[in-house]
Amino acid sequence: MAITFRLMTRDDLPLVHEWHQRPHVARWWTARTTFEETEAHYVPTIEGTEPTQHYLALLDGEPLGMIQTYLVSDYPDYAALIEEGEGTAGLDLFIGDEAQTGRGLGTEMIRRFVEEIVFARPETIACTADPDLENTASVRAFEKAGFRAVREFVDPEDGQLHALVRRERS
Ligand SMILES: CC(C)(COP(=O)(O)OP(=O)(O)OC[C@H]1O[C@@H](n2cnc3c(N)ncnc32)[C@H](O)[C@@H]1OP(=O)(O)O)[C@@H](O)C(=O)NCCC(=O)NCCS
């Protein structure tokens, strides 16, 4: 089982859009109902005008899911909300095919991405994520990948309680 990462390109958008329509992804992610919404969200990062980096995760060379990272300090409102600042990178992900969830792949995806991509930036000293508290699979996958829950907060975007999970550079 080899999980690798490459930066997302415009050619990936039809697949990524289709993933967003699947109920197991849509349940926990911002709705991207039309292809135009998906393009409007991802194209600025693909072109480098928005600082988040979106990657495609591949399993043995085949698309497995999407994983993204950003410096929390690039988003001051969010940084204040989670009480993190310089040196902290955020992380979010999903596996595109529900049949590939629950097999340990999400945990491995997080673990490798943190080591190979997030902490490749020398100034990054911590990585955080904010799964919905009810998203047990996500909270647990982060925990198994070495994150620990540090606090809970209500995200004003969805009104839900989220767990802030954090892993420091080892
Ligand atoms: C969240 C996600 C990335 C996790 O990846 P995964 O491959 O499914 O997770 P893993 O198999 O590595 O680990 C899941 C863990 O949660 C546990 N789990 C899963 N569903 C659970 C549930 N309903 N209740 C309790 N535990 C649960 C599993 O048993 C496993 O823990 P264990 O190994 O100790 O038994 C994946 O499920 C996914 O993409 N979900 C849809 C989108 C999403 O929620 N993204 C995250 C947004 S923050």
Short mmCIF file of all heavy atoms in Angstrom, two decimals, residues 107-155:
data_model
loop_
_atom_site.label_atom_id
_atom_site.label_comp_id
_atom_site.label_asym_id
_atom_site.label_seq_id
_atom_site.Cartn_x
_atom_site.Cartn_y
_atom_site.Cartn_z
N THR A 107 -5.96 7.31 8.24
CA THR A 107 -4.91 7.47 9.25
C THR A 107 -3.54 7.55 8.58
O THR A 107 -2.72 8.42 8.89
CB THR A 107 -4.93 6.28 10.24
OG1 THR A 107 -6.22 6.22 10.85
CG2 THR A 107 -3.86 6.41 11.29
N GLU A 108 -3.31 6.67 7.63
CA GLU A 108 -2.01 6.63 6.95
C GLU A 108 -1.82 7.88 6.09
O GLU A 108 -0.71 8.43 6.01
CB GLU A 108 -1.96 5.35 6.09
CG GLU A 108 -0.60 4.99 5.55
CD GLU A 108 0.48 4.81 6.62
OE1 GLU A 108 0.17 4.61 7.81
OE2 GLU A 108 1.67 4.91 6.24
N MET A 109 -2.91 8.32 5.46
CA MET A 109 -2.86 9.54 4.65
C MET A 109 -2.44 10.73 5.52
O MET A 109 -1.57 11.52 5.15
CB MET A 109 -4.28 9.76 4.09
CG MET A 109 -4.42 10.49 2.82
SD MET A 109 -6.14 10.21 2.24
CE MET A 109 -6.59 11.84 1.75
N ILE A 110 -3.06 10.85 6.68
CA ILE A 110 -2.73 11.97 7.59
C ILE A 110 -1.27 11.86 8.03
O ILE A 110 -0.50 12.81 7.95
CB ILE A 110 -3.65 11.96 8.83
CG1 ILE A 110 -5.11 12.19 8.43
CG2 ILE A 110 -3.19 13.02 9.85
CD1 ILE A 110 -6.13 11.89 9.54
N ARG A 111 -0.89 10.68 8.48
CA ARG A 111 0.47 10.48 9.03
C ARG A 111 1.54 10.86 7.99
O ARG A 111 2.46 11.61 8.26
CB ARG A 111 0.60 9.02 9.45
CG ARG A 111 1.79 8.72 10.31
CD ARG A 111 1.82 7.26 10.71
NE ARG A 111 0.89 6.91 11.77
CZ ARG A 111 0.15 5.80 11.81
NH1 ARG A 111 0.20 4.93 10.82
NH2 ARG A 111 -0.65 5.56 12.83
N ARG A 112 1.37 10.33 6.78
CA ARG A 112 2.38 10.60 5.73
C ARG A 112 2.38 12.05 5.29
O ARG A 112 3.43 12.64 5.06
CB ARG A 112 2.10 9.73 4.50
CG ARG A 112 2.53 8.32 4.72
CD ARG A 112 2.28 7.52 3.47
NE ARG A 112 2.57 6.12 3.79
CZ ARG A 112 3.36 5.34 3.08
NH1 ARG A 112 3.95 5.82 2.01
NH2 ARG A 112 3.57 4.11 3.43
N PHE A 113 1.19 12.62 5.15
CA PHE A 113 1.10 14.00 4.67
C PHE A 113 1.75 14.96 5.67
O PHE A 113 2.47 15.89 5.29
CB PHE A 113 -0.37 14.37 4.45
CG PHE A 113 -0.58 15.68 3.74
CD1 PHE A 113 -0.42 15.77 2.37
CD2 PHE A 113 -0.95 16.81 4.44
CE1 PHE A 113 -0.61 16.97 1.70
CE2 PHE A 113 -1.16 18.03 3.79
CZ PHE A 113 -0.99 18.10 2.42
N VAL A 114 1.51 14.71 6.95
CA VAL A 114 2.10 15.57 7.98
C VAL A 114 3.63 15.49 7.91
O VAL A 114 4.32 16.50 7.94
CB VAL A 114 1.57 15.17 9.38
CG1 VAL A 114 2.39 15.82 10.48
CG2 VAL A 114 0.11 15.55 9.52
N GLU A 115 4.14 14.26 7.79
CA GLU A 115 5.59 14.10 7.79
C GLU A 115 6.23 14.59 6.48
O GLU A 115 7.26 15.25 6.50
CB GLU A 115 5.95 12.63 8.05
CG GLU A 115 5.77 12.27 9.52
CD GLU A 115 5.65 10.78 9.81
OE1 GLU A 115 5.94 9.98 8.90
OE2 GLU A 115 5.26 10.44 10.94
N GLU A 116 5.60 14.26 5.34
CA GLU A 116 6.23 14.55 4.05
C GLU A 116 5.97 15.97 3.53
O GLU A 116 6.79 16.53 2.82
CB GLU A 116 5.73 13.55 2.98
CG GLU A 116 6.22 12.14 3.24
CD GLU A 116 5.57 11.13 2.28
OE1 GLU A 116 5.07 11.52 1.22
OE2 GLU A 116 5.59 9.93 2.64
N ILE A 117 4.81 16.53 3.85
CA ILE A 117 4.44 17.82 3.27
C ILE A 117 4.37 18.93 4.34
O ILE A 117 5.03 19.95 4.22
CB ILE A 117 3.07 17.74 2.54
CG1 ILE A 117 3.02 16.54 1.59
CG2 ILE A 117 2.75 19.08 1.85
CD1 ILE A 117 3.61 16.69 0.23
N VAL A 118 3.59 18.71 5.38
CA VAL A 118 3.36 19.79 6.36
C VAL A 118 4.66 20.17 7.07
O VAL A 118 5.03 21.35 7.11
CB VAL A 118 2.28 19.38 7.39
CG1 VAL A 118 2.12 20.45 8.47
CG2 VAL A 118 0.94 19.13 6.70
N PHE A 119 5.38 19.20 7.59
CA PHE A 119 6.60 19.52 8.34
C PHE A 119 7.83 19.64 7.43
O PHE A 119 8.94 19.85 7.92
CB PHE A 119 6.82 18.51 9.47
CG PHE A 119 5.85 18.69 10.62
CD1 PHE A 119 5.33 17.60 11.30
CD2 PHE A 119 5.47 19.96 11.03
CE1 PHE A 119 4.44 17.77 12.36
CE2 PHE A 119 4.58 20.15 12.08
CZ PHE A 119 4.05 19.06 12.75
N ALA A 120 7.61 19.57 6.11
CA ALA A 120 8.72 19.85 5.19
C ALA A 120 9.06 21.34 5.23
O ALA A 120 10.17 21.74 4.90
CB ALA A 120 8.35 19.43 3.77
N ARG A 121 8.09 22.16 5.63
CA ARG A 121 8.34 23.60 5.82
C ARG A 121 9.00 23.76 7.19
O ARG A 121 8.37 23.51 8.20
CB ARG A 121 6.99 24.32 5.91
CG ARG A 121 6.59 25.12 4.73
CD ARG A 121 5.33 25.88 5.14
NE ARG A 121 4.71 26.53 4.02
CZ ARG A 121 3.41 26.52 3.77
NH1 ARG A 121 2.58 25.90 4.57
NH2 ARG A 121 2.94 27.16 2.74
N PRO A 122 10.27 24.20 7.22
CA PRO A 122 10.98 24.22 8.51
C PRO A 122 10.33 25.11 9.56
O PRO A 122 10.45 24.84 10.75
CB PRO A 122 12.38 24.72 8.15
CG PRO A 122 12.37 25.08 6.72
CD PRO A 122 11.09 24.63 6.11
N GLU A 123 9.63 26.17 9.12
CA GLU A 123 9.04 27.09 10.11
C GLU A 123 7.75 26.55 10.73
O GLU A 123 7.24 27.13 11.67
CB GLU A 123 8.82 28.48 9.49
CG GLU A 123 7.80 28.54 8.37
CD GLU A 123 8.38 28.24 6.99
OE1 GLU A 123 9.40 27.52 6.90
OE2 GLU A 123 7.79 28.71 6.00
N THR A 124 7.25 25.44 10.19
CA THR A 124 6.01 24.87 10.75
C THR A 124 6.35 23.99 11.95
O THR A 124 7.09 23.01 11.82
CB THR A 124 5.25 24.06 9.67
OG1 THR A 124 4.92 24.96 8.61
CG2 THR A 124 3.98 23.46 10.24
N ILE A 125 5.79 24.34 13.09
CA ILE A 125 6.12 23.60 14.31
C ILE A 125 4.95 22.78 14.84
O ILE A 125 5.13 21.91 15.68
CB ILE A 125 6.64 24.54 15.43
CG1 ILE A 125 5.65 25.68 15.65
CG2 ILE A 125 8.04 25.06 15.11
CD1 ILE A 125 5.85 26.42 16.97
N ALA A 126 3.74 23.07 14.33
CA ALA A 126 2.57 22.31 14.78
C ALA A 126 1.57 22.20 13.64
O ALA A 126 1.53 23.04 12.75
CB ALA A 126 1.92 23.00 15.97
N CYS A 127 0.77 21.13 13.69
CA CYS A 127 -0.27 20.92 12.70
C CYS A 127 -1.59 20.72 13.44
O CYS A 127 -1.64 20.00 14.44
CB CYS A 127 0.07 19.69 11.85
SG CYS A 127 -1.12 19.39 10.53
N THR A 128 -2.64 21.40 12.96
CA THR A 128 -3.95 21.27 13.61
C THR A 128 -5.01 20.86 12.58
O THR A 128 -4.85 21.05 11.38
CB THR A 128 -4.41 22.60 14.24
OG1 THR A 128 -4.40 23.62 13.25
CG2 THR A 128 -3.53 23.00 15.41
N ALA A 129 -6.10 20.31 13.11
CA ALA A 129 -7.28 20.03 12.30
C ALA A 129 -8.49 20.22 13.22
O ALA A 129 -8.33 20.29 14.44
CB ALA A 129 -7.24 18.61 11.75
N ASP A 130 -9.67 20.32 12.60
CA ASP A 130 -10.83 20.65 13.43
C ASP A 130 -12.06 19.83 13.06
O ASP A 130 -13.10 20.37 12.67
CB ASP A 130 -11.14 22.15 13.34
CG ASP A 130 -11.46 22.59 11.93
OD1 ASP A 130 -11.46 21.73 11.02
OD2 ASP A 130 -11.76 23.78 11.73
N PRO A 131 -11.98 18.50 13.19
CA PRO A 131 -13.14 17.68 12.84
C PRO A 131 -14.36 18.00 13.70
O PRO A 131 -14.22 18.33 14.87
CB PRO A 131 -12.65 16.24 13.10
CG PRO A 131 -11.49 16.38 14.00
CD PRO A 131 -10.86 17.69 13.69
N ASP A 132 -15.54 17.91 13.05
CA ASP A 132 -16.79 17.99 13.81
C ASP A 132 -16.73 16.92 14.92
O ASP A 132 -16.30 15.80 14.69
CB ASP A 132 -17.94 17.69 12.83
CG ASP A 132 -19.29 17.95 13.43
OD1 ASP A 132 -19.62 17.35 14.47
OD2 ASP A 132 -20.04 18.73 12.82
N LEU A 133 -17.15 17.32 16.10
CA LEU A 133 -17.07 16.40 17.24
C LEU A 133 -17.84 15.10 16.99
O LEU A 133 -17.52 14.05 17.54
CB LEU A 133 -17.61 17.11 18.48
CG LEU A 133 -16.99 16.73 19.82
CD1 LEU A 133 -15.50 16.94 19.83
CD2 LEU A 133 -17.65 17.53 20.94
N GLU A 134 -18.87 15.18 16.15
CA GLU A 134 -19.67 13.99 15.86
C GLU A 134 -19.02 13.11 14.79
O GLU A 134 -19.48 12.00 14.55
CB GLU A 134 -21.07 14.39 15.39
CG GLU A 134 -21.91 14.98 16.52
CD GLU A 134 -23.30 15.38 16.05
OE1 GLU A 134 -23.66 15.11 14.90
OE2 GLU A 134 -24.00 16.00 16.87
N ASN A 135 -17.98 13.60 14.14
CA ASN A 135 -17.31 12.84 13.08
C ASN A 135 -16.27 11.91 13.74
O ASN A 135 -15.06 12.13 13.66
CB ASN A 135 -16.66 13.81 12.09
CG ASN A 135 -16.19 13.10 10.82
OD1 ASN A 135 -16.14 11.87 10.77
ND2 ASN A 135 -15.82 13.89 9.83
N THR A 136 -16.78 10.86 14.35
CA THR A 136 -15.93 9.98 15.16
C THR A 136 -14.78 9.38 14.36
O THR A 136 -13.67 9.26 14.88
CB THR A 136 -16.78 8.83 15.73
OG1 THR A 136 -18.01 9.37 16.19
CG2 THR A 136 -16.08 8.15 16.88
N ALA A 137 -15.06 8.99 13.11
CA ALA A 137 -14.00 8.37 12.29
C ALA A 137 -12.85 9.36 12.10
O ALA A 137 -11.67 8.98 12.18
CB ALA A 137 -14.55 7.92 10.95
N SER A 138 -13.19 10.63 11.86
CA SER A 138 -12.15 11.63 11.63
C SER A 138 -11.37 11.92 12.91
O SER A 138 -10.13 11.93 12.93
CB SER A 138 -12.79 12.91 11.08
OG SER A 138 -11.81 13.85 10.78
N VAL A 139 -12.10 12.14 14.01
CA VAL A 139 -11.43 12.42 15.29
C VAL A 139 -10.48 11.27 15.63
O VAL A 139 -9.32 11.48 16.00
CB VAL A 139 -12.47 12.62 16.43
CG1 VAL A 139 -11.78 12.73 17.78
CG2 VAL A 139 -13.34 13.85 16.16
N ARG A 140 -10.96 10.06 15.42
CA ARG A 140 -10.17 8.87 15.77
C ARG A 140 -8.97 8.72 14.82
O ARG A 140 -7.87 8.37 15.25
CB ARG A 140 -11.08 7.64 15.69
CG ARG A 140 -10.43 6.35 16.01
CD ARG A 140 -10.26 6.11 17.50
NE ARG A 140 -9.44 4.92 17.72
CZ ARG A 140 -8.22 4.92 18.25
NH1 ARG A 140 -7.67 6.03 18.68
NH2 ARG A 140 -7.55 3.80 18.39
N ALA A 141 -9.16 8.99 13.53
CA ALA A 141 -8.05 8.86 12.57
C ALA A 141 -6.95 9.85 12.93
O ALA A 141 -5.76 9.51 12.91
CB ALA A 141 -8.55 9.09 11.15
N PHE A 142 -7.31 11.08 13.30
CA PHE A 142 -6.28 12.06 13.70
C PHE A 142 -5.55 11.59 14.96
O PHE A 142 -4.32 11.68 15.05
CB PHE A 142 -6.90 13.45 13.90
CG PHE A 142 -7.05 14.22 12.62
CD1 PHE A 142 -8.29 14.40 12.02
CD2 PHE A 142 -5.94 14.75 11.98
CE1 PHE A 142 -8.42 15.09 10.83
CE2 PHE A 142 -6.05 15.45 10.78
CZ PHE A 142 -7.30 15.62 10.21
N GLU A 143 -6.34 11.05 15.90
CA GLU A 143 -5.74 10.56 17.15
C GLU A 143 -4.72 9.45 16.86
O GLU A 143 -3.61 9.46 17.37
CB GLU A 143 -6.89 10.00 17.99
CG GLU A 143 -6.70 9.97 19.47
CD GLU A 143 -8.03 9.56 20.10
OE1 GLU A 143 -8.37 8.36 20.07
OE2 GLU A 143 -8.72 10.45 20.60
N LYS A 144 -5.10 8.52 15.96
CA LYS A 144 -4.20 7.41 15.63
C LYS A 144 -2.96 7.90 14.88
O LYS A 144 -1.92 7.25 14.90
CB LYS A 144 -4.93 6.36 14.78
CG LYS A 144 -5.95 5.56 15.59
CD LYS A 144 -6.36 4.29 14.86
CE LYS A 144 -7.07 4.62 13.57
NZ LYS A 144 -7.35 3.42 12.77
N ALA A 145 -3.10 9.07 14.21
CA ALA A 145 -1.95 9.64 13.48
C ALA A 145 -1.12 10.55 14.37
O ALA A 145 -0.27 11.30 13.86
CB ALA A 145 -2.45 10.38 12.24
N GLY A 146 -1.35 10.52 15.66
CA GLY A 146 -0.47 11.24 16.60
C GLY A 146 -0.97 12.60 17.04
O GLY A 146 -0.22 13.35 17.69
N PHE A 147 -2.21 12.95 16.69
CA PHE A 147 -2.77 14.23 17.15
C PHE A 147 -3.45 14.01 18.50
O PHE A 147 -3.92 12.91 18.79
CB PHE A 147 -3.83 14.74 16.15
CG PHE A 147 -3.26 15.27 14.87
CD1 PHE A 147 -2.59 14.43 13.98
CD2 PHE A 147 -3.39 16.60 14.52
CE1 PHE A 147 -2.07 14.92 12.78
CE2 PHE A 147 -2.87 17.10 13.33
CZ PHE A 147 -2.21 16.26 12.47
N ARG A 148 -3.52 15.10 19.29
CA ARG A 148 -4.32 14.99 20.52
C ARG A 148 -5.29 16.16 20.58
O ARG A 148 -5.00 17.26 20.09
CB ARG A 148 -3.43 14.90 21.76
CG ARG A 148 -2.63 16.10 22.04
CD ARG A 148 -1.65 15.93 23.19
NE ARG A 148 -0.82 17.12 23.24
CZ ARG A 148 -1.17 18.25 23.82
NH1 ARG A 148 -2.32 18.35 24.44
NH2 ARG A 148 -0.37 19.30 23.78
N ALA A 149 -6.45 15.87 21.17
CA ALA A 149 -7.49 16.91 21.26
C ALA A 149 -7.06 17.95 22.28
O ALA A 149 -6.66 17.60 23.40
CB ALA A 149 -8.81 16.27 21.67
N VAL A 150 -7.08 19.23 21.89
CA VAL A 150 -6.65 20.27 22.83
C VAL A 150 -7.81 21.14 23.32
O VAL A 150 -7.75 21.67 24.41
CB VAL A 150 -5.53 21.18 22.27
CG1 VAL A 150 -4.22 20.43 22.22
CG2 VAL A 150 -5.85 21.74 20.90
N ARG A 151 -8.84 21.32 22.51
CA ARG A 151 -10.02 22.06 22.97
C ARG A 151 -11.18 21.82 22.03
O ARG A 151 -11.03 21.18 20.99
CB ARG A 151 -9.74 23.56 23.12
CG ARG A 151 -9.61 24.36 21.85
CD ARG A 151 -9.39 25.82 22.18
NE ARG A 151 -8.08 26.02 22.77
CZ ARG A 151 -6.97 26.22 22.07
NH1 ARG A 151 -7.02 26.23 20.75
NH2 ARG A 151 -5.82 26.40 22.67
N GLU A 152 -12.34 22.33 22.44
CA GLU A 152 -13.52 22.26 21.58
C GLU A 152 -13.97 23.68 21.32
O GLU A 152 -13.79 24.55 22.16
CB GLU A 152 -14.63 21.48 22.29
CG GLU A 152 -14.27 20.01 22.47
CD GLU A 152 -15.27 19.26 23.35
OE1 GLU A 152 -16.31 19.85 23.72
OE2 GLU A 152 -14.98 18.10 23.67
N PHE A 153 -14.55 23.91 20.13
CA PHE A 153 -15.06 25.25 19.82
C PHE A 153 -16.23 25.14 18.85
O PHE A 153 -16.35 24.14 18.12
CB PHE A 153 -13.95 26.14 19.23
CG PHE A 153 -13.48 25.68 17.88
CD1 PHE A 153 -14.00 26.25 16.72
CD2 PHE A 153 -12.53 24.68 17.74
CE1 PHE A 153 -13.58 25.83 15.46
CE2 PHE A 153 -12.11 24.24 16.49
CZ PHE A 153 -12.63 24.82 15.35
N VAL A 154 -17.08 26.14 18.86
CA VAL A 154 -18.20 26.19 17.92
C VAL A 154 -17.73 26.96 16.68
O VAL A 154 -17.24 28.09 16.80
CB VAL A 154 -19.43 26.87 18.54
CG1 VAL A 154 -20.55 27.02 17.50
CG2 VAL A 154 -19.92 26.09 19.75
N ASP A 155 -17.85 26.32 15.52
CA ASP A 155 -17.48 27.00 14.27
C ASP A 155 -18.68 27.83 13.80
O ASP A 155 -19.74 27.27 13.51
CB ASP A 155 -17.12 25.94 13.22
CG ASP A 155 -16.59 26.56 11.94
OD1 ASP A 155 -16.84 27.78 11.72
OD2 ASP A 155 -15.94 25.84 11.16
#
